[in-house]
Amino acid sequence: MTQHLADALPTSTGTQPGWWREAVIYQVYPRSFADSNGDGMGDLEGIRSRLPYLKELGVDAVWLSPFYASPQADAGYDVADYRAIDPMFGTLHDADAVIREAHALDLRIIVDLVPNHCSDQHEWFKQALREGPGTPLRERFHFRPGQGAHGELPPNDWESIFGGPAWTRVADGEWYLHLFAPEQPDFNWEHPAVQDEFRSILRFWLDLGADGFRIDVAHGLVKAPGLPDLGRDEQLKLLGNQVLPFFDQDGVHEIYRSWRRVLDEYAGDRIGVAEAWTPSADRTALYLRPDELHQAFNFHYLSTGWDAPALREAIDDSLDSMRPVGAPTTWVLSNHDVVRHRTRFGSLERARAAALLMLALPGSAYVYQGEELGLPEVTDLPDEVRQDPSFFKANGQDGLRDGCRVPIPWSGDQAPYGFGSGGSWLPQPAEWAGLSVEAQTGDPQSTLELYRTALRIRREHADLGAGDAVEWLTAPEGVLAFRRGGFVCTVNTTGEAVRLPAPGAVLLASGELADRDLLPADTAVWWQG
């Protein structure tokens, strides 16, 4: 354990676990989930109409990626108004309807919050530009004079996550900081007005009934004093663990303590979930001390390959790092920023086995829309349809995030497969006809029915869900085997069948079992031990 964690606040005190400790949370990417009005873009009414599907799937909560008013320079992560809905998604009435209907189905709603930066069309930023250097509104952002004889050089050497300098010069000669796209100016979280505004935004959505917030770039709000140079030529990574003067600064924790006080004002276990890329799992745990946030995404696990020793190490490290702060470990295989895990792992068989492994682990699991259908990454999108801003930066990220954002298939044998009546904003592959919800429903061999069954067993089995430990069992090389009470999970990550005595009765298998004592290649099995 590192010194950082040893200095943490007192650990959790055996209070009754909240719903989030074992929840399965489904991520909806609104523009790609369901289109109600035929404009080719998913919307809130489309989401509302498909909530019964999510209830039947067996998830506990739904996380909605941003639907706020936005110029859409970065798919809605450039927010112009945090209390308004972008017309492409509907109205505030539609958002209210989604929350109300979800609650009627006993589903919780987590909304995405983007506090590190806003849109350059946000009224605060537009007014700051109008008012000019040295005025109070500029202090809510990071405006600085440039370097060089005439201020023609950026204030420091920071690079944008999307490539190029993290600074843009405005007409009056000052520069403003944007760790992401130039259309996304960073807030100055040292300013009291910024802190007050976001506490107000939290209350706005909590008053509307939101059950919690997924906090975008939760590690990025506070910058090191003086904005020091990096001093090295290094391309930043959107999903990485570099030690940087603008990520994972200790000052972020006081912000989240103040947010926790707001969350605790409301009944019903409202939660905060950190998207926090940090240098270590121990550093991530600091966000989850008892008076801060409730969960953080487990990127260590997400970035682990299909390899038994590496997976076991990631599982142990994850559980060990969360235990001292009393927080549940989270598990995630895919999201809107990474290549879908079926493609990353190389086969549908591995993806199915990985799903059963994830859902067997103690804590909370996140499911990205379409993974329950076994969707692969779409790797052949034409350049002219891509919208990921990093795609247009030659020295930025890979620009491949569009491939995991293609609208999901619901029904029918040709595009847009029931997504809506007016096509889809990104083209869907022809082979997706066989992967639609309609095509897979009722087929016991389908990935959709595998997820439905796994989630049902997970809810019903006393030894699954919340917890903070697994008991590893002796297993052949390349095989993971662990027990949780009367439940056993075995996973073969190798390309060959492995003989392993059956530890009990089969509950569920990701592939066909011809011999109970022979674990097929790339297969996971749940047992009643």
Side-chain angles (χ1 to χ4, degrees), residues 81-124:
D81 188 339
Y82 291 86
R83 298 176 182 84
I85 308 301
D86 195 281
M88 76 163 61
F89 298 127
T91 66
L92 196 57
H93 174 78
D94 295 324
D96 179 66
V98 168
I99 294 171
R100 288 177 182 274
E101 183 146 341
H103 288 169
L105 292 169
D106 199 26
L107 294 169
R108 298 176 189 262
I109 293 291
I110 296 172
V111 298
D112 219 314
L113 190 63
V114 189
N116 179 70
H117 49 262
C118 62
S119 166
D120 61 356
Q121 298 306 303
H122 190 287
E123 192 55 43
W124 278 12

CSV table of all heavy atoms in Angstrom, one decimal, residues 81-124:
chain,number,residue,atom,x,y,z
A,81,ASP,N,-24.9,24.6,-22.2
A,81,ASP,CA,-25.9,24.9,-21.1
A,81,ASP,C,-26.2,23.6,-20.4
A,81,ASP,O,-26.8,22.7,-21.0
A,81,ASP,CB,-27.2,25.5,-21.7
A,81,ASP,CG,-28.1,26.0,-20.6
A,81,ASP,OD1,-28.0,25.6,-19.5
A,81,ASP,OD2,-29.0,26.9,-21.0
A,82,TYR,N,-25.8,23.6,-19.1
A,82,TYR,CA,-25.9,22.3,-18.4
A,82,TYR,C,-27.3,22.1,-17.8
A,82,TYR,O,-27.6,21.0,-17.3
A,82,TYR,CB,-25.0,22.4,-17.2
A,82,TYR,CG,-23.5,22.3,-17.5
A,82,TYR,CD1,-22.8,23.5,-17.9
A,82,TYR,CD2,-22.8,21.1,-17.5
A,82,TYR,CE1,-21.4,23.4,-18.2
A,82,TYR,CE2,-21.5,21.0,-17.9
A,82,TYR,CZ,-20.8,22.2,-18.2
A,82,TYR,OH,-19.4,22.1,-18.5
A,83,ARG,N,-28.2,23.1,-18.1
A,83,ARG,CA,-29.6,22.9,-17.6
A,83,ARG,C,-30.6,22.8,-18.8
A,83,ARG,O,-31.8,22.9,-18.5
A,83,ARG,CB,-30.0,24.1,-16.7
A,83,ARG,CG,-29.1,24.2,-15.4
A,83,ARG,CD,-29.5,25.4,-14.6
A,83,ARG,NE,-28.7,25.5,-13.4
A,83,ARG,CZ,-27.5,26.1,-13.3
A,83,ARG,NH1,-27.0,26.6,-14.5
A,83,ARG,NH2,-26.9,26.2,-12.2
A,84,ALA,N,-30.1,22.7,-20.0
A,84,ALA,CA,-30.9,22.6,-21.2
A,84,ALA,C,-30.6,21.4,-22.0
A,84,ALA,O,-29.4,20.9,-21.9
A,84,ALA,CB,-30.8,23.9,-22.0
A,85,ILE,N,-31.5,20.9,-22.7
A,85,ILE,CA,-31.4,19.7,-23.6
A,85,ILE,C,-31.1,20.1,-25.0
A,85,ILE,O,-31.8,21.1,-25.5
A,85,ILE,CB,-32.6,18.8,-23.5
A,85,ILE,CG1,-33.0,18.5,-22.1
A,85,ILE,CG2,-32.4,17.5,-24.3
A,85,ILE,CD1,-32.0,17.8,-21.3
A,86,ASP,N,-30.2,19.5,-25.7
A,86,ASP,CA,-29.9,19.8,-27.1
A,86,ASP,C,-31.1,19.4,-27.9
A,86,ASP,O,-31.7,18.3,-27.7
A,86,ASP,CB,-28.7,19.1,-27.6
A,86,ASP,CG,-28.2,19.7,-28.9
A,86,ASP,OD1,-28.8,19.4,-29.9
A,86,ASP,OD2,-27.2,20.5,-28.9
A,87,PRO,N,-31.6,20.3,-28.8
A,87,PRO,CA,-32.8,19.9,-29.6
A,87,PRO,C,-32.7,18.6,-30.3
A,87,PRO,O,-33.7,18.0,-30.6
A,87,PRO,CB,-32.9,21.1,-30.5
A,87,PRO,CG,-32.3,22.3,-29.8
A,87,PRO,CD,-31.1,21.7,-29.0
A,88,MET,N,-31.5,18.2,-30.7
A,88,MET,CA,-31.4,16.9,-31.4
A,88,MET,C,-31.8,15.8,-30.5
A,88,MET,O,-32.2,14.7,-31.0
A,88,MET,CB,-29.9,16.7,-31.9
A,88,MET,CG,-28.9,16.3,-30.8
A,88,MET,SD,-27.4,15.6,-31.5
A,88,MET,CE,-26.8,16.9,-32.5
A,89,PHE,N,-31.8,15.9,-29.2
A,89,PHE,CA,-32.2,14.9,-28.3
A,89,PHE,C,-33.6,15.1,-27.7
A,89,PHE,O,-34.1,14.1,-27.1
A,89,PHE,CB,-31.2,14.8,-27.1
A,89,PHE,CG,-29.8,14.4,-27.6
A,89,PHE,CD1,-28.7,15.2,-27.2
A,89,PHE,CD2,-29.6,13.3,-28.3
A,89,PHE,CE1,-27.4,14.9,-27.6
A,89,PHE,CE2,-28.3,13.0,-28.8
A,89,PHE,CZ,-27.2,13.7,-28.4
A,90,GLY,N,-34.1,16.3,-27.8
A,90,GLY,CA,-35.5,16.5,-27.3
A,90,GLY,C,-35.5,17.7,-26.4
A,90,GLY,O,-34.9,18.8,-26.7
A,91,THR,N,-36.3,17.6,-25.3
A,91,THR,CA,-36.6,18.8,-24.4
A,91,THR,C,-36.3,18.3,-23.0
A,91,THR,O,-36.2,17.1,-22.7
A,91,THR,CB,-38.0,19.2,-24.6
A,91,THR,OG1,-38.9,18.2,-24.1
A,91,THR,CG2,-38.4,19.6,-26.0
A,92,LEU,N,-36.4,19.3,-22.1
A,92,LEU,CA,-36.3,19.0,-20.7
A,92,LEU,C,-37.5,18.1,-20.2
A,92,LEU,O,-37.3,17.3,-19.4
A,92,LEU,CB,-36.2,20.3,-19.9
A,92,LEU,CG,-35.8,20.2,-18.4
A,92,LEU,CD1,-34.4,19.6,-18.3
A,92,LEU,CD2,-35.8,21.5,-17.7
A,93,HIS,N,-38.6,18.3,-20.9
A,93,HIS,CA,-39.8,17.5,-20.6
A,93,HIS,C,-39.4,16.0,-20.9
A,93,HIS,O,-39.8,15.1,-20.2
A,93,HIS,CB,-41.0,17.9,-21.4
A,93,HIS,CG,-42.2,17.0,-21.3
A,93,HIS,ND1,-43.0,17.0,-20.2
A,93,HIS,CD2,-42.6,16.1,-22.1
A,93,HIS,CE1,-43.9,16.1,-20.3
A,93,HIS,NE2,-43.7,15.5,-21.5
A,94,ASP,N,-38.7,15.8,-22.0
A,94,ASP,CA,-38.3,14.4,-22.4
A,94,ASP,C,-37.4,13.8,-21.4
A,94,ASP,O,-37.5,12.6,-21.1
A,94,ASP,CB,-37.7,14.4,-23.8
A,94,ASP,CG,-38.7,14.8,-24.9
A,94,ASP,OD1,-39.9,14.5,-24.8
A,94,ASP,OD2,-38.2,15.5,-25.9
A,95,ALA,N,-36.4,14.6,-20.9
A,95,ALA,CA,-35.5,14.1,-19.9
A,95,ALA,C,-36.2,13.7,-18.6
A,95,ALA,O,-36.0,12.7,-18.0
A,95,ALA,CB,-34.4,15.2,-19.6
A,96,ASP,N,-37.2,14.6,-18.2
A,96,ASP,CA,-38.0,14.3,-17.1
A,96,ASP,C,-38.8,13.0,-17.3
A,96,ASP,O,-38.9,12.1,-16.4
A,96,ASP,CB,-39.0,15.4,-16.8
A,96,ASP,CG,-39.9,15.2,-15.6
A,96,ASP,OD1,-39.4,15.1,-14.5
A,96,ASP,OD2,-41.1,15.1,-15.8
A,97,ALA,N,-39.3,12.8,-18.5
A,97,ALA,CA,-40.1,11.6,-18.8
A,97,ALA,C,-39.2,10.3,-18.7
A,97,ALA,O,-39.6,9.2,-18.2
A,97,ALA,CB,-40.7,11.7,-20.2
A,98,VAL,N,-37.9,10.4,-19.2
A,98,VAL,CA,-37.0,9.3,-19.1
A,98,VAL,C,-36.8,8.9,-17.6
A,98,VAL,O,-36.9,7.7,-17.2
A,98,VAL,CB,-35.7,9.6,-19.8
A,98,VAL,CG1,-34.6,8.5,-19.5
A,98,VAL,CG2,-35.9,9.7,-21.3
A,99,ILE,N,-36.5,9.9,-16.8
A,99,ILE,CA,-36.3,9.6,-15.4
A,99,ILE,C,-37.5,9.0,-14.7
A,99,ILE,O,-37.4,8.0,-14.0
A,99,ILE,CB,-35.8,10.9,-14.7
A,99,ILE,CG1,-34.4,11.4,-15.2
A,99,ILE,CG2,-35.7,10.7,-13.2
A,99,ILE,CD1,-34.0,12.8,-14.8
A,100,ARG,N,-38.7,9.6,-15.0
A,100,ARG,CA,-39.9,9.1,-14.3
A,100,ARG,C,-40.2,7.7,-14.7
A,100,ARG,O,-40.5,6.8,-13.9
A,100,ARG,CB,-41.0,10.1,-14.6
A,100,ARG,CG,-41.0,11.4,-13.9
A,100,ARG,CD,-42.1,12.3,-14.4
A,100,ARG,NE,-42.0,13.6,-13.7
A,100,ARG,CZ,-42.5,13.9,-12.5
A,100,ARG,NH1,-43.2,12.9,-11.8
A,100,ARG,NH2,-42.4,15.1,-12.0
A,101,GLU,N,-40.1,7.4,-16.1
A,101,GLU,CA,-40.4,6.1,-16.5
A,101,GLU,C,-39.4,5.0,-16.0
A,101,GLU,O,-39.7,3.9,-15.7
A,101,GLU,CB,-40.5,6.0,-18.0
A,101,GLU,CG,-41.0,4.6,-18.5
A,101,GLU,CD,-41.9,4.7,-19.8
A,101,GLU,OE1,-42.5,5.8,-20.0
A,101,GLU,OE2,-42.0,3.7,-20.4
A,102,ALA,N,-38.1,5.4,-16.0
A,102,ALA,CA,-37.1,4.5,-15.5
A,102,ALA,C,-37.4,4.2,-14.0
A,102,ALA,O,-37.4,3.0,-13.6
A,102,ALA,CB,-35.7,5.2,-15.6
A,103,HIS,N,-37.8,5.2,-13.2
A,103,HIS,CA,-38.1,4.9,-11.8
A,103,HIS,C,-39.3,4.0,-11.7
A,103,HIS,O,-39.4,3.2,-10.8
A,103,HIS,CB,-38.3,6.2,-11.1
A,103,HIS,CG,-37.1,7.0,-10.9
A,103,HIS,ND1,-37.0,8.3,-10.4
A,103,HIS,CD2,-35.8,6.6,-11.0
A,103,HIS,CE1,-35.8,8.7,-10.3
A,103,HIS,NE2,-35.0,7.7,-10.7
A,104,ALA,N,-40.3,4.2,-12.6
A,104,ALA,CA,-41.5,3.3,-12.6
A,104,ALA,C,-41.1,1.9,-12.9
A,104,ALA,O,-41.8,1.0,-12.4
A,104,ALA,CB,-42.5,3.8,-13.6
A,105,LEU,N,-40.0,1.7,-13.6
A,105,LEU,CA,-39.5,0.3,-13.9
A,105,LEU,C,-38.5,-0.2,-12.9
A,105,LEU,O,-37.9,-1.2,-13.1
A,105,LEU,CB,-38.9,0.3,-15.3
A,105,LEU,CG,-39.9,0.5,-16.5
A,105,LEU,CD1,-39.2,0.7,-17.8
A,105,LEU,CD2,-40.8,-0.7,-16.6
A,106,ASP,N,-38.3,0.6,-11.9
A,106,ASP,CA,-37.3,0.3,-10.8
A,106,ASP,C,-35.9,0.3,-11.4
A,106,ASP,O,-35.0,-0.4,-11.0
A,106,ASP,CB,-37.6,-1.0,-10.2
A,106,ASP,CG,-36.8,-1.2,-8.8
A,106,ASP,OD1,-36.6,-0.1,-8.2
A,106,ASP,OD2,-36.5,-2.3,-8.4
A,107,LEU,N,-35.6,1.2,-12.4
A,107,LEU,CA,-34.3,1.5,-12.9
A,107,LEU,C,-33.8,2.9,-12.4
A,107,LEU,O,-34.6,3.8,-12.3
A,107,LEU,CB,-34.3,1.5,-14.4
A,107,LEU,CG,-34.6,0.2,-15.1
A,107,LEU,CD1,-34.9,0.4,-16.6
A,107,LEU,CD2,-33.5,-0.8,-14.9
A,108,ARG,N,-32.6,3.0,-12.1
A,108,ARG,CA,-32.0,4.3,-11.7
A,108,ARG,C,-31.3,5.0,-12.9
A,108,ARG,O,-30.9,4.3,-13.8
A,108,ARG,CB,-31.0,4.1,-10.5
A,108,ARG,CG,-31.7,3.5,-9.3
A,108,ARG,CD,-30.7,3.3,-8.2
A,108,ARG,NE,-31.3,2.5,-7.1
A,108,ARG,CZ,-31.8,3.1,-6.0
A,108,ARG,NH1,-31.7,4.4,-5.8
A,108,ARG,NH2,-32.3,2.3,-5.0
A,109,ILE,N,-31.3,6.3,-12.8
A,109,ILE,CA,-30.7,7.1,-13.9
A,109,ILE,C,-29.5,7.8,-13.4
A,109,ILE,O,-29.5,8.6,-12.5
A,109,ILE,CB,-31.7,8.1,-14.5
A,109,ILE,CG1,-32.8,7.3,-15.2
A,109,ILE,CG2,-31.0,9.0,-15.5
A,109,ILE,CD1,-32.4,6.6,-16.5
A,110,ILE,N,-28.3,7.6,-14.1
A,110,ILE,CA,-27.1,8.4,-13.8
A,110,ILE,C,-26.8,9.3,-15.0
A,110,ILE,O,-26.8,8.8,-16.2
A,110,ILE,CB,-25.9,7.4,-13.6
A,110,ILE,CG1,-26.2,6.6,-12.3
A,110,ILE,CG2,-24.6,8.2,-13.5
A,110,ILE,CD1,-25.2,5.5,-12.1
A,111,VAL,N,-26.7,10.6,-14.8
A,111,VAL,CA,-26.5,11.5,-15.9
A,111,VAL,C,-25.0,11.8,-16.0
A,111,VAL,O,-24.3,11.9,-14.9
A,111,VAL,CB,-27.3,12.8,-15.8
A,111,VAL,CG1,-28.8,12.4,-15.9
A,111,VAL,CG2,-27.0,13.5,-14.5
A,112,ASP,N,-24.5,12.1,-17.2
A,112,ASP,CA,-23.1,12.5,-17.4
A,112,ASP,C,-22.9,13.9,-17.0
A,112,ASP,O,-23.7,14.8,-17.4
A,112,ASP,CB,-22.7,12.2,-18.8
A,112,ASP,CG,-21.3,11.7,-19.0
A,112,ASP,OD1,-20.4,12.2,-18.3
A,112,ASP,OD2,-21.1,10.7,-19.8
A,113,LEU,N,-21.9,14.3,-16.3
A,113,LEU,CA,-21.6,15.7,-15.9
A,113,LEU,C,-20.2,15.9,-16.4
A,113,LEU,O,-19.3,15.1,-16.2
A,113,LEU,CB,-21.7,15.9,-14.4
A,113,LEU,CG,-21.6,17.3,-14.0
A,113,LEU,CD1,-22.8,18.1,-14.5
A,113,LEU,CD2,-21.6,17.4,-12.5
A,114,VAL,N,-20.0,17.1,-17.1
A,114,VAL,CA,-18.7,17.5,-17.7
A,114,VAL,C,-18.2,18.7,-17.0
A,114,VAL,O,-18.4,19.9,-17.5
A,114,VAL,CB,-18.9,17.7,-19.2
A,114,VAL,CG1,-17.5,17.8,-19.9
A,114,VAL,CG2,-19.7,16.5,-19.8
A,115,PRO,N,-17.5,18.6,-15.9
A,115,PRO,CA,-17.1,19.8,-15.2
A,115,PRO,C,-15.7,20.4,-15.5
A,115,PRO,O,-15.3,21.5,-15.1
A,115,PRO,CB,-17.1,19.3,-13.7
A,115,PRO,CG,-16.7,17.9,-13.8
A,115,PRO,CD,-17.2,17.4,-15.1
A,116,ASN,N,-14.9,19.6,-16.2
A,116,ASN,CA,-13.5,20.1,-16.5
A,116,ASN,C,-13.5,21.3,-17.5
A,116,ASN,O,-12.7,22.2,-17.4
A,116,ASN,CB,-12.6,19.0,-17.1
A,116,ASN,CG,-11.2,19.4,-17.4
A,116,ASN,OD1,-10.4,19.8,-16.5
A,116,ASN,ND2,-10.9,19.5,-18.7
A,117,HIS,N,-14.5,21.2,-18.4
A,117,HIS,CA,-14.5,22.2,-19.5
A,117,HIS,C,-15.9,22.4,-19.9
A,117,HIS,O,-16.8,21.5,-19.6
A,117,HIS,CB,-13.6,21.8,-20.7
A,117,HIS,CG,-13.9,20.3,-21.1
A,117,HIS,ND1,-13.1,19.3,-20.7
A,117,HIS,CD2,-14.9,19.8,-21.8
A,117,HIS,CE1,-13.6,18.2,-21.2
A,117,HIS,NE2,-14.7,18.4,-21.9
A,118,CYS,N,-16.2,23.4,-20.7
A,118,CYS,CA,-17.5,23.7,-21.3
A,118,CYS,C,-17.3,23.9,-22.8
A,118,CYS,O,-16.2,23.7,-23.3
A,118,CYS,CB,-18.2,24.9,-20.6
A,118,CYS,SG,-17.3,26.4,-20.8
A,119,SER,N,-18.3,24.4,-23.5
A,119,SER,CA,-18.2,24.7,-24.9
A,119,SER,C,-17.8,26.2,-25.0
A,119,SER,O,-18.0,27.0,-24.1
A,119,SER,CB,-19.6,24.6,-25.5
A,119,SER,OG,-19.6,25.3,-26.8
A,120,ASP,N,-17.1,26.5,-26.1
A,120,ASP,CA,-16.8,27.9,-26.3
A,120,ASP,C,-18.0,28.8,-26.6
A,120,ASP,O,-17.9,30.0,-26.7
A,120,ASP,CB,-15.7,28.1,-27.4
A,120,ASP,CG,-16.2,27.5,-28.7
A,120,ASP,OD1,-17.3,27.0,-28.8
A,120,ASP,OD2,-15.4,27.7,-29.7
A,121,GLN,N,-19.2,28.1,-26.7
A,121,GLN,CA,-20.4,28.8,-26.9
A,121,GLN,C,-21.2,28.9,-25.6
A,121,GLN,O,-22.3,29.4,-25.5
A,121,GLN,CB,-21.3,28.0,-27.9
A,121,GLN,CG,-20.7,28.0,-29.3
A,121,GLN,CD,-20.3,29.4,-29.8
A,121,GLN,OE1,-21.2,30.3,-29.9
A,121,GLN,NE2,-19.0,29.6,-30.1
A,122,HIS,N,-20.6,28.5,-24.5
A,122,HIS,CA,-21.2,28.7,-23.1
A,122,HIS,C,-21.2,30.2,-22.9
A,122,HIS,O,-20.3,30.9,-23.2
A,122,HIS,CB,-20.3,28.0,-22.1
A,122,HIS,CG,-20.9,28.0,-20.7
A,122,HIS,ND1,-21.0,29.1,-19.9
A,122,HIS,CD2,-21.5,26.9,-20.0
A,122,HIS,CE1,-21.6,28.7,-18.7
A,122,HIS,NE2,-21.9,27.4,-18.8
A,123,GLU,N,-22.3,30.7,-22.3
A,123,GLU,CA,-22.5,32.1,-22.1
A,123,GLU,C,-21.3,32.7,-21.3
A,123,GLU,O,-20.9,33.9,-21.6
A,123,GLU,CB,-23.8,32.4,-21.4
A,123,GLU,CG,-24.2,33.9,-21.5
A,123,GLU,CD,-24.2,34.5,-22.9
A,123,GLU,OE1,-24.7,33.8,-23.8
A,123,GLU,OE2,-23.7,35.6,-23.0
A,124,TRP,N,-20.8,32.0,-20.3
A,124,TRP,CA,-19.7,32.6,-19.5
A,124,TRP,C,-18.5,32.8,-20.4
A,124,TRP,O,-17.8,33.9,-20.3
A,124,TRP,CB,-19.3,31.6,-18.4
A,124,TRP,CG,-20.1,31.6,-17.2
A,124,TRP,CD1,-21.3,32.2,-17.0
A,124,TRP,CD2,-19.8,30.9,-16.0
A,124,TRP,NE1,-21.8,32.0,-15.7
A,124,TRP,CE2,-20.9,31.2,-15.1
A,124,TRP,CE3,-18.8,30.1,-15.5
A,124,TRP,CZ2,-20.9,30.8,-13.8
A,124,TRP,CZ3,-18.8,29.7,-14.2
A,124,TRP,CH2,-19.9,30.0,-13.4
